[in-house]
Amino acid sequence: MAKTLTANNSAVLNDDVVRPVYFIKFEFPSGNVYLNSSDRNITYDSQSYLGAGTIGTLSDIEETSELQANGLKLTLTGIPSTYVSIALTTEYQGSTATVYLGFLNSSYALVDDPFIIFLGKVDVMAISLSETATIELEIENRVIDWERPRISRFTNEEQQNLHSGDLGLEFVDSVAEKELFWGVDN
């Protein structure tokens, strides 16, 4: 994925102190969850991203020159047990996860809009319980979908599932086994 830095974000890279911050947006069916890698809440794009820097870690985002699906892992530790029930009841699998990278200035305000560095789907959530909980989310790259087979049939039933009311394949079953005599008078 091509990443283009704005002039403001690019200028920050020459500073003596660089303060990167990750923003993670999960689009769960029950509602979106917004986290950031700092120790404070930050508002971006009219959303408050919860500062999870003291409890969360994000694995390295690996890029290669080859077309392959590299995922990442988000680990949240020290989660109060009361929030575990939310994690257990949320339909998470297949939900979109977007990771942005931004930079903070010396006042801990965003220098410019963060940019997308990873876009994927939540695959697996593992929960470990003790006095507090640890939640690990594995996020797969969108490219992983290219490896999944797409099975489609040219049947009326398939066509109705895709486009209800379309009668384009209505007679496919009746002509599939029909014996035709080409060039012969009947």
Side-chain angles (χ1 to χ4, degrees):
M1 163 185 328
K3 295 163 189 66
T4 306
L5 289 176
T6 63
N8 291 337
N9 280 333
S10 185
V12 170
L13 298 175
N14 296 323
D15 291 351
D16 292 335
V17 177
V18 178
R19 296 173 188 86
V21 61
Y22 293 107
F23 294 88
I24 306 167
K25 177 172 73 170
F26 294 104
E27 298 176 35
F28 297 126
S30 59
N32 294 348
V33 174
Y34 303 93
L35 302 173
N36 79 71
S37 63
S38 76
D39 61 350
R40 60 195 74 213
N41 296 347
I42 299 174
T43 300
Y44 161 64
D45 199 24
S46 302
Q47 297 297 330
S48 180
Y49 284 75
L50 177 68
T54 57
I55 63 168
T57 58
L58 188 63
S59 68
D60 291 339
I61 298 173
E62 185 179 333
E63 286 193 3
T64 64
S65 59
E66 297 177 20
L67 184 63
Q68 64 185 37
N70 296 322
L72 61 92
K73 186 182 290 188
L74 171 69
T75 304
L76 299 170
T77 57
I79 306 294
S81 300
T82 55
Y83 293 113
V84 173
S85 64
I86 296 170
L88 290 172
T89 58
T90 298
E91 292 182 31
Y92 62 87
Q93 199 160 35
S95 297
T96 301
T98 308
V99 180
Y100 303 86
L101 176 61
F103 299 99
L104 302 176
N105 61 21
S106 59
S107 305
Y108 291 95
L110 278 171
V111 172
D112 205 344
D113 286 344
F115 56 96
I116 296 174
I117 59 171
F118 187 86
L119 184 59
K121 302 279 185 186
V122 178
D123 186 28
V124 177
M125 182 186 332
I127 301 174
S128 303
L129 296 174
S130 60
E131 290 178 17
T132 59
T134 299
I135 299 174
E136 287 184 352
L137 286 168
E138 291 184 22
I139 305 167
E140 295 296 335
N141 192 306
R142 297 181 303 174
V143 176
I144 198 84
D145 274 347
W146 286 1
E147 298 173 2
R148 290 193 178 107
R150 303 285 191 258
I151 299 173
S152 183
R153 307 280 188 248
F154 289 107
T155 64
N156 188 47
E157 291 78 16
E158 178 87 10
Q159 188 69 8
Q160 293 305 313
N161 285 337
L162 295 173
H163 308 285
S164 181
D166 184 352
L167 302 177
L169 298 178
E170 180 179 22
F171 299 107
V172 166
D173 291 338
S174 64
V175 297
E177 299 296 324
K178 184 140 181 107
E179 192 172 333
L180 299 174
F181 301 98
W182 192 258
V184 177
D185 269 340
N186 288 355

